[in-house]
Each structure stands twice: as structure tokens, then as C-alpha cells.
Amino acid sequence: MKEFYKTVLKYKRNGIYALVFLVVIAASSAFTTIVPLEWNASTSVAKLLEAFGNKPQAHYIANLEDEKVKMGEDLVRKGRTIRNGKKTKFISKFYKCTDCHNTVKEDPDLRYSNPETRLDYAVEQGIPFLQGTTLYGTVNRETWYNGDYKKKYGDLVVPARHSLRGAIQLCAEVCSQGRRIDVWEEEAILSYLWTIDLKLGDLKLSQADLQTLKTAKQEKNDSIVALVKSHYLSYSPATFLEPKQNANRAITGDPEVGAHIYTSSCLNCHGPGKAATYLELGKDKPSYKFLKRKTERDKAFSLYTITRKGTHPIPGHKPYMPHYTKERLSEKQVEDLRAFIYEASN
């Protein structure tokens, strides 16, 4: 305090009124005061939670830079970007993130991971129906590589389950059969992911809940934080299933639903001109007959086994097919897909 008055007197001796000095100090303080957020559909859920005392996550980036965001989007969508005027090295020679992950909302209700409502939503929105969970809102999650992924990746999930940075590295090196990404690439990807974080309008809040938010004082409030978090999953569940046996039993699925799965899922990777696989399929009888024959005779590559087990990288051929968890493809949907293939092959 003594130092403060000495400074005031110094300015007064120099002909500057201390009052002016005090006004400047007060104005500076005002600029550093947190201005209450105005809630609307585009309000960031992370910023909303922060306003009520929720601690930002370790991967949080407060100030996004346009250049980093653009490079991050390139890395996610194209597998490489341009830096310092030069094209960077591909993260993977075989895959890009969007081969397995959407970048938009894919569940109509973020409180549930339901493959059947997700398929209806995918058809309605015209988006792929994929094995991997969407990158939209992944920055809002608290864990990654959950559930049974421990069975597949073992101790590799340890640095990834509670760290989005670790999850990104595991995806780059192992899932995409690529390389470890550099620090600047990691920051760029995170910067882009923060532009597709959850927004208030994504949550199914009631009018009463919205009114509670709007009237609550923006200060530490655990009940408000809990209310908001109850409207979306903070993780993506993953349950591995064993393939069903006896493929020659009666067909019980819905071929119309199966047609949607074939178009929005199978052909997303196996369609004509797709680079992610060596197996090309189409909307034609040879493709349907091939899949039917495999399902009837070949357990290793039957529809049941390939959806639940996928394939593994082999020497000289690193690309592989990821499998579907229960939360990404239901048992009913496998039967729907089979019903479509059998019907379409006739």
C-alpha cells in the first residue's frame, strides 16, 4: 500500500493528478472482470461449466488461432496439412480420422449411446454410420478408449484413457497404423476439436432447466454443473460381443434397415474409389452374393465374424477393418444387414 501512495505522489509531483491515475487503475480492473455469459444455443458447454466453477480440462485451449484450427482440420480430414508453405508428412499412409469418425453430432440424445436411434438420425442427416465415435464433442468427454478397449490394446490405453492428448497419439500410431504426431500437430488437432465442442443447443434441456441456468448467479455451483453434465455422456461406452453362430438359421432382420446400414456404413469404406480398403463393394448382385457366400461358408469372414471381430494388420498389409462394439452396431442391426444382403442377392 505504501508503494501505491508513493507512485501516486510521484505522478502528482510530475504534474499529473492522482485522480487520473486512480481512474486508469479502475478502468484496467474492469477489463479483467469476467463478464457473465449470455446463454443461447451456440454457447460453449465448456465455457458454461467454467462459469459455474467447473475446472477446465487439461487439453483446454482458451484462445484459438485460425491458422492452427485450419491445420488441425486438415490433419483430421486429409491426414496432412501445409506448414511454412510446405506439405507435411501424412500421419498414416492408410487412414485419415474421418474414415472411422464423424465430425458432427451423431446421437439425437447425447445422454444415450444407442445404435438404432443413431442409424435413424444418420439416415435423416445424411451422415455415415461408423465404427468409431464422433469427434464432435470429444473435447467435452472425461475419458476415452473406455470399456473393453483394454482387451484390444492392453496397457496402451493407460496413457490414453484419461488424456485426450494420449488418445490422439494412440489413434495416430496404432489405430491408423501411422506415426507419432509432433507437438505442433497435436495442438493443431486440439484447436480444431475445440471448434466442434458441445454447444448448449445440443443438449435436451427442458424449459425449466434453461430458466434455472439463466437465473443462476455465475459462480461456483456444483448443482448447476451436475445438471448440465447429466444431459450428455462424458465417455463413449464400448462393449465387445462375440459373433453369433449358425448363420443358416431363419432370417429375422428388416432388409429395409439393412439397406441403410449397407449404404451408410459398409460402402463408406468399401465403396468404389475408397482408399481405406482393398475390398471394393458396390450396389450390385456380385457384391451381395460375395457377402452371402462368405456368411454361409466362411466363419473367418462371415458377416457375423467380420462385424464383431474385424480383421488384424498382417505383414505386408497394414490396413485392417475395425470391429463394431455393441454400442456402435446392435445385434438386431447385424440381422437387418444380413436380411438385406440375402434379399438383394436373389
Side-chain angles (χ1 to χ4, degrees):
M1 185 62 74
K2 289 181 179 179
E3 292 299 319
F4 173 77
Y5 284 115
K6 285 181 180 179
T7 304
V8 172
L9 290 173
K10 173 185 174 183
Y11 280 101
K12 187 174 182 180
R13 285 195 297 269
N14 289 335
I16 300 176
Y17 290 104
L19 179 61
V20 174
F21 178 80
L22 292 172
V23 169
V24 171
I25 294 295
S28 299
S29 299
F31 282 117
T32 60
T33 301
I34 297 175
V35 177
L37 291 176
E38 291 292 332
W39 308 141
N40 56 57
S42 61
T43 298
S44 163
V45 168
K47 289 188 180 297
L48 185 154
L49 291 172
E50 186 179 3
F52 289 107
N54 191 64
K55 183 180 178 181
Q57 293 174 274
H59 57 264
Y60 181 62
I61 299 178
N63 300 308
L64 299 177
E65 300 174 23
D66 291 343
E67 184 180 10
K68 283 187 179 181
V69 170
K70 177 62 171 64
M71 290 194 294
E73 184 172 8
D74 285 345
L75 291 169
V76 167
R77 296 187 182 281
K78 303 175 183 177
R80 72 192 305 185
T81 188
I82 296 176
R83 188 185 187 218
N84 298 327
K86 296 181 180 180
K87 290 183 179 180
T88 62
K89 184 180 178 181
F90 280 109
I91 294 175
S92 170
K93 297 178 182 178
F94 313 104
Y95 303 103
K96 54 186 182 296
C97 302
T98 48
D99 287 328
C100 292
H101 303 276
N102 281 313
T103 58
V104 295
K105 178 182 173 183
E106 62 179 16
D107 284 294
D109 190 329
L110 298 176
R111 294 173 294 180
Y112 310 105
S113 181
N114 185 322
E116 290 170 22
T117 56
R118 185 182 308 119
L119 177 62
D120 292 340
Y121 188 75
V123 172
E124 177 188 317
Q125 299 295 318
I127 59 177
F129 184 66
L130 303 176
Q131 294 103 322
T133 184
T134 182
L135 298 179
Y136 186 84
T138 193
V139 293
N140 300 95
R141 296 180 197 142
E142 296 173 7
T143 57
W144 301 265
Y145 285 96
N146 300 293
D148 287 340
Y149 275 107
K150 172 76 173 177
K151 297 177 181 178
K152 183 172 184 177
Y153 297 116
D155 289 342
L156 292 176
V157 303
V158 174
R161 182 154 291 182
H162 297 284
S163 167
L164 181 52
R165 295 175 189 273
I168 291 171
Q169 289 290 1
L170 178 55
C171 197
E173 290 187 89
V174 181
C175 300
S176 74
Q177 293 292 291
R179 61 173 174 81
R180 186 170 183 80
I181 62 175
D182 294 333
V183 173
W184 72 265
E185 291 173 306
E186 185 180 284
E187 290 300 310
I189 290 172
L190 282 172
S191 295
Y192 168 61
L193 293 179
W194 273 111
T195 68
I196 53 172
D197 60 327
L198 295 183
K199 305 300 189 294
L200 186 57
D202 296 319
L203 311 184
K204 287 189 174 295
L205 292 167
S206 66
Q207 287 301 314
D209 290 337
L210 286 171
Q211 187 61 26
T212 298
L213 281 178
K214 291 179 178 180
T215 57
K217 187 176 181 180
Q218 292 183 31
E219 60 184 13
K220 185 172 175 56
N221 189 325
D222 293 341
S223 64
I224 293 292
V225 169
L227 169 66
V228 174
K229 287 188 175 184
S230 71
H231 283 80
Y232 66 92
L233 290 179
S234 63
Y235 66 100
S236 180
T239 306
F240 292 3
L241 296 177
E242 287 297 314
K244 285 188 175 181
Q245 302 299 318
N246 188 18
N248 292 315
R249 64 184 179 280
I251 296 175
T252 60
D254 183 340
E256 184 176 347
V257 175
H260 291 313
I261 297 171
Y262 186 76
T263 299
S264 60
S265 186
C266 302
L267 294 187
N268 186 71
C269 285
H270 296 282
K274 298 292 185 179
T277 176
Y278 69 93
L279 175 61
E280 185 175 300
L281 300 171
K283 292 184 176 181
D284 52 61
K285 284 203 173 183
S287 295
Y288 305 139
K289 288 180 179 293
F290 168 81
L291 293 171
K292 180 182 178 182
R293 185 169 62 251
K294 287 291 183 181
T295 299
E296 290 178 334
R297 303 175 185 174
D298 191 344
K299 291 182 179 180
F301 293 98
S302 75
L303 185 65
Y304 294 101
T305 303
I306 205 72
T307 53
R308 293 307 182 201
K309 293 291 188 179
T311 62
H312 298 281
I314 58 176
H317 186 77
K318 285 191 172 184
Y320 69 100
M321 176 178 165
H323 70 286
Y324 290 84
T325 65
K326 181 182 76 171
E327 292 80 9
R328 306 303 298 178
L329 185 73
S330 71
E331 294 283 65
K332 177 186 178 302
Q333 288 173 326
V334 176
E335 294 300 331
D336 292 337
L337 181 56
R338 177 180 174 233
F340 165 70
I341 289 169
Y342 277 44
E343 181 181 276
S345 65
N346 294 328

